[in-house]
Amino acid sequence: MACEPNVDYGPILRVVGLKTYFHLRDGTLQAVDDVSFEVGTGKTLCIVGESGSGKSVTALSIMGLIDPPGRIEAGGIYHHGEDLLELQEDELEGRIRGNRIGMIFQDPMSSLNPSFTIGDQVAEGLVLHRGLTRNQARQETVDVLRLVGIPDAEARYDLYPHQFSGGMRQRAMIAAAIICEPDLLIADEPTTALDVTIQAQILRLLAELKDKLNSSLLMITHDLGVVASMADDVLVMNAGKIVESGTVEQMFDSPSHPYTQGLLNCVIDAETQRDGSFEVIPGVPLVPINPGRGCRFKDRCTRRFARCNREEPVLLPIERGHYAACHLCDSAT
Amino acid sequence: MSDLLTVQDLRKVYQIGRKGLLQARRAVTAVDGVSFVVRNGETFGLVGESGCGKTTTARLVLRLVEPTSGWIGFDGWDLLDCNKKEMRQRRREMQIVFQDPMTALNPRMSIGTSIADTLRFHGIGDSRSRVEEARTMLEVVGLSRSHYSGLPHEFSGGQCQRVGIARALILKPKLVLLDEPVSSLDVSIRAQVLNLLRTLQNEYGLTYIFISHDLTVVRKFCSTMAVLYLGKIVEEGLSDAVSREPLHPYTQALVNSVPQPDPRAPKARDLVGIEGELPSALAVPKGCRFEGRCPHRMKKCAEKEPALVDLGGNRKVACFLHSDAEAPTATIS
């Protein structure tokens, strides 16, 4: 392996103060509100949260795929130090998206075009970014299809998405995302639609490819099992805000935000009695439309106090590399 | 405990179109000789991946789909012998909760009407008493009486699933089929709905058939479980024992494929899963159905099909590693 695991090459992606808002009839949905984080070179960062927490919008913002009524209001997204938000759409499309940053979506059936062959869609990166013709790209595409574990790749090149199973479609999506050997892969719930035995295969494939291509991985998931088996670092999001961030060990060993603690408790502990009840977080996730003052988790929090209603907590360090946005963790209280 | 539901040798064959004019019609056996017993008051889990026949089995039990052959005994009745009128009466006692609560509700009908209509359909009460009963039911499932006139889109997924449960329970059924009732819900909401189901079961003395692909939930929620693979039960037993010590290689693969929410558990690249995918139901392997993916396959597995054998202690397994008994050869009529 060319890459020494212990050498820190600095972040490949740095997101600073990102605000992505959706201007709706009912008000402004603060889908992502002042989010900052880094993806270290060669590292896997998992963003965890429930539906509506802003994790997918964060990924779409990085790829420049936010359409009206959504708008990136503020912030910077630095890829190798270059601010992607400063780039024109054609530059982003021509140079970055699909070339340096590859993206894998949740549902491979709806992200593949049903009327083009798998091969043509996987080869598109080579045609678009390297100026090859489809014929020139064919051999390389077949090699990549083989690399992602599609058997009989030569023959399957000419098949259409409906002729593939769910797992094979997701492999094809991954092939399309890695064909230009990007240094950052963004995977949005890549295994949620798959059965568990296929999920295990795809997760293993992603982990192996990340090493082989020497790239970094930003993975979005709601499954804490997936997080524990994939991540180096973890971000927990709730209602558009990061509530906690740290290494995977810090997050599972000493979760500090009541939301993170609640999520971990919800993951069913198989050792408990069958007739024992399941741990819950009361209430439903907040939809951050005009969220008002105070902490966005306060209505579901069992440990809220007066300050939580008045003041929004900010991310503060708890220990080296471990941050939480909760007044309980603020030593000044 | 007495038996509430007995299913014997249930089989469903779908005839599908021929490939060419001169070719024979092809048949897909979705459920292939499934037998099980559900006792009064228990929760029976049906586990398997997509395409294994678990949902078809549920629909066959309710006679929403007519079985090709087999026998279903419910509460002293031979279900397949019931005429339309008798069947309608039986359906009051066996209800189903569907996977996707949003699509299971009529978007133009208030949730209260959706619930009350179940009573109207079965000719119970007058319009005023039906509304009153539906309102009471909303309270029972943790919503409020005032939600009666709300439309489905005004509610979250978890709330809609509560409506689905209210609609199933308003007839005071004995048996409730839960078809992946929490799969589309967020982790924190999932626990709330499972707790509700557990409480209602104790309160009304309900018997559940719980269909799921999620072994961790089944382990904790169900007393007994059966694992389905390509339309056949491969293993059955007390759910805790089966998940703690799975005997069939497929069950073992299912258990081992689930990533654990523990950073010290095996990482994704070391997960001991299985290779390959579910074979097409059109080309069911001749011997054991799992033979092509099984790490322990022997010579005879490709030729003979193992029978589901009672090993004692409530455990049944269909695998030559545990018994030499062969399955009787099935003939497709």
Side-chain angles (χ1 to χ4, degrees):
Chain A
M1 245 332 124
C3 143
E4 287 270 337
N6 292 326
V7 179
D8 191 1
Y9 292 98
I12 192 160
L13 182 83
R14 201 154 58 87
V15 174
V16 183
L18 180 68
K19 287 188 182 184
T20 307
Y21 291 177
F22 288 80
H23 300 279
L24 309 173
R25 221 174 354 164
D26 305 343
T28 301
L29 174 70
Q30 303 182 356
V32 174
D33 194 22
D34 203 4
V35 160
S36 306
F37 62 89
E38 289 176 354
V39 183
T41 300
K43 301 276 187 187
T44 298
L45 173 75
C46 282
I47 304 184
V48 201
E50 297 183 273
S51 29
S53 62
K55 51 194 198 308
S56 289
V57 175
T58 304
L60 293 173
S61 303
I62 296 168
M63 297 298 286
L65 294 174
I66 298 293
D67 287 325
R71 211 167 83 93
I72 296 178
E73 302 286 331
I77 296 170
Y78 301 92
H79 176 248
H80 284 299
E82 179 184 31
D83 190 350
L84 299 183
L85 295 181
E86 299 286 314
L87 294 182
Q88 295 299 315
E89 169 60 27
D90 55 345
E91 230 180 323
L92 199 58
E93 164 118 27
R95 207 152 54 76
I96 306 289
R97 199 190 293 145
N99 189 27
R100 309 301 309 281
I101 305 180
M103 183 142 182
I104 301 157
F105 296 95
Q106 170 171 355
D107 184 356
M109 194 53 196
S110 48
S111 5
L112 287 167
N113 189 329
S115 43
F116 288 91
T117 65
I118 292 281
D120 278 355
Q121 294 184 64
V122 173
E124 196 172 283
L126 294 177
V127 176
L128 193 67
H129 299 293
R130 293 232 217 108
L132 300 184
T133 65
R134 291 208 183 274
N135 276 335
Q136 288 167 329
R138 185 173 177 114
Q139 190 48 51
E140 205 172 328
T141 306
V142 169
D143 290 341
V144 173
L145 288 175
R146 214 168 274 142
L147 179 71
V148 298
I150 294 180
D152 208 4
E154 182 70 46
R156 295 208 186 198
Y157 184 100
D158 296 310
L159 296 185
Y160 289 88
H162 75 271
Q163 294 167 297
F164 273 48
S165 69
M168 283 301 152
R169 265 181 231 135
Q170 195 56 296
R171 285 177 195 270
M173 277 289 294
I174 293 172
I178 63 161
I179 196 153
C180 291
E181 302 187 15
D183 45 28
L184 176 66
L185 266 176
I186 299 179
D188 186 359
E189 305 257 13
T191 58
T192 306
L194 305 176
D195 281 318
V196 333
T197 57
I198 308 299
Q199 162 169 294
Q201 293 172 6
I202 297 289
L203 290 178
R204 193 168 40 189
L205 174 69
L206 279 173
E208 283 167 3
L209 284 174
K210 195 197 87 151
D211 288 350
K212 212 173 274 181
L213 301 172
N214 231 331
S215 60
S216 313
L217 179 61
L218 171 63
M219 189 153 141
I220 287 157
T221 178
H222 67 276
D223 185 329
L224 289 165
V226 171
V227 173
S229 69
M230 294 289 286
D232 297 302
D233 300 303
V234 184
L235 285 186
V236 184
M237 286 188 76
N238 175 55
K241 292 270 183 190
I242 295 177
V243 297
E244 188 162 356
S245 72
T247 65
V248 68
E249 287 85 10
Q250 286 166 340
M251 208 59 75
F252 281 86
D253 293 347
S254 49
S256 300
H257 195 284
Y259 180 60
T260 318
Q261 293 166 352
L263 278 184
L264 281 170
N265 285 338
C266 285
V267 176
I268 295 148
D269 179 9
E271 292 308 310
T272 49
Q273 279 293 311
R274 189 185 67 79
D275 284 76
S277 59
F278 295 84
E279 291 278 348
V280 301
I281 300 176
V284 292
L286 172 84
V287 180
I289 297 181
N290 310 331
R293 280 202 309 173
C295 173
R296 292 189 183 179
F297 186 61
K298 62 177 188 291
D299 293 335
R300 304 184 77 188
C301 187
T302 48
R303 296 163 69 192
R304 68 165 171 270
F305 54 107
R307 190 175 165 198
C308 306
N309 297 323
R310 287 196 312 268
E311 206 184 306
E312 185 155 2
V314 290
L315 268 182
L316 291 173
I318 301 167
E319 54 186 314
R320 195 186 143 92
H322 188 183
Y323 297 81
C326 177
H327 293 313
L328 290 169
C329 306
D330 184 357
S331 48
T333 345
Chain B
M1 273 190 290
S2 56
D3 298 346
L4 179 65
L5 178 80
T6 309
V7 171
Q8 261 172 29
D9 211 15
L10 201 60
R11 184 169 272 115
K12 177 67 192 177
V13 182
Y14 288 102
Q15 297 289 341
I16 61 168
R18 51 192 103 211
K19 222 169 184 176
L21 190 63
L22 298 175
Q23 253 116 47
R25 285 178 72 94
R26 295 175 299 167
V28 169
T29 309
V31 175
D32 196 359
V34 163
S35 308
F36 57 88
V37 173
V38 182
R39 280 176 273 275
N40 253 313
E42 82 164 336
T43 304
F44 183 84
L46 272 177
V47 188
E49 298 184 283
S50 26
C52 73
K54 51 194 195 300
T55 296
T56 309
T57 305
R59 286 170 185 262
L60 290 173
V61 167
L62 287 182
R63 276 186 77 189
L64 294 174
V65 175
E66 285 299 319
T68 309
S69 65
W71 187 82
I72 305 168
F74 174 73
D75 203 22
W77 290 79
D78 179 350
L79 270 200
L80 298 181
D81 222 29
C82 287
N83 60 31
K84 237 178 166 171
K85 202 171 147 214
E86 288 169 331
M87 199 54 218
R88 182 179 271 217
Q89 193 62 29
R90 297 286 79 67
R91 287 225 180 86
R92 280 174 67 166
E93 294 163 357
M94 42 202 321
Q95 287 289 304
I96 185 163
V97 176
F98 295 99
Q99 169 169 6
D100 186 350
M102 295 288 193
T103 52
L105 295 171
N106 183 338
R108 288 161 184 268
M109 196 186 264
S110 81
I111 59 159
T113 316
S114 278
I115 298 170
D117 254 17
T118 319
L119 293 173
R120 191 175 60 86
F121 182 77
H122 286 279
I124 300 167
D126 55 38
S127 62
R128 187 177 301 167
S129 75
R130 288 196 286 259
V131 170
E132 180 50 34
E133 217 171 310
R135 284 185 197 273
T136 314
M137 213 56 222
L138 281 171
E139 271 185 318
V140 169
V141 296
L143 297 168
S144 89
R145 299 173 70 85
S146 60
H147 283 142
Y148 186 92
S149 46
L151 291 170
H153 72 87
E154 298 165 33
F155 296 89
S156 67
Q159 287 174 317
C160 282
Q161 197 54 294
R162 286 171 194 267
V163 174
I165 293 168
R167 186 169 61 172
L169 293 194
I170 197 164
L171 291 166
K172 313 261 180 302
K174 291 179 177 155
L175 177 70
V176 182
L177 283 117
L178 305 162
D179 189 359
E180 304 258 17
V182 294
S183 302
S184 63
L185 306 178
D186 275 318
V187 243
S188 70
I189 307 301
R190 185 177 297 182
Q192 293 175 4
V193 172
L194 288 173
N195 280 342
L196 171 70
L197 288 170
R198 175 67 52 76
T199 312
L200 294 171
Q201 178 171 38
N202 294 337
E203 212 158 297
Y204 296 98
L206 300 169
T207 306
Y208 287 151
I209 294 181
F210 187 85
I211 294 168
S212 179
H213 67 277
D214 188 337
L215 264 176
T216 28
V217 171
V218 169
R219 177 175 189 180
K220 202 172 166 195
F221 194 73
C222 302
S223 38
T224 324
M225 70 185 231
V227 181
L228 280 166
Y229 188 77
L230 264 185
K232 285 217 164 174
I233 294 181
V234 295
E235 182 160 4
E236 192 188 323
L238 299 178
S239 56
D240 196 52
V242 172
S243 19
R244 201 183 295 274
E245 202 196 337
L247 295 178
H248 194 283
Y250 177 61
T251 321
Q252 290 168 354
L254 275 185
V255 171
N256 293 333
S257 292
V258 181
Q260 294 305 307
D262 174 1
R264 270 161 287 274
K267 294 284 177 190
R269 55 169 73 77
D270 307 315
L271 276 180
V272 207
I274 34 166
E275 298 305 320
E277 300 187 356
L278 200 71
S280 158
L282 274 169
V284 172
K286 186 172 138 237
C288 171
R289 293 167 184 229
F290 189 57
E291 188 261 343
R293 305 172 76 187
C294 183
H296 306 292
R297 64 173 165 268
M298 301 172 284
K299 202 165 160 234
K300 75 193 279 196
C301 302
E303 291 144 19
K304 309 257 193 300
E305 187 168 15
L308 189 66
V309 175
D310 198 332
L311 300 181
N314 290 317
R315 185 76 72 97
K316 292 178 187 165
V317 180
C319 178
F320 287 133
L321 291 173
H322 301 282
S323 163
D324 286 331
E326 284 168 29
T329 36
T331 43
I332 296 170
S333 46

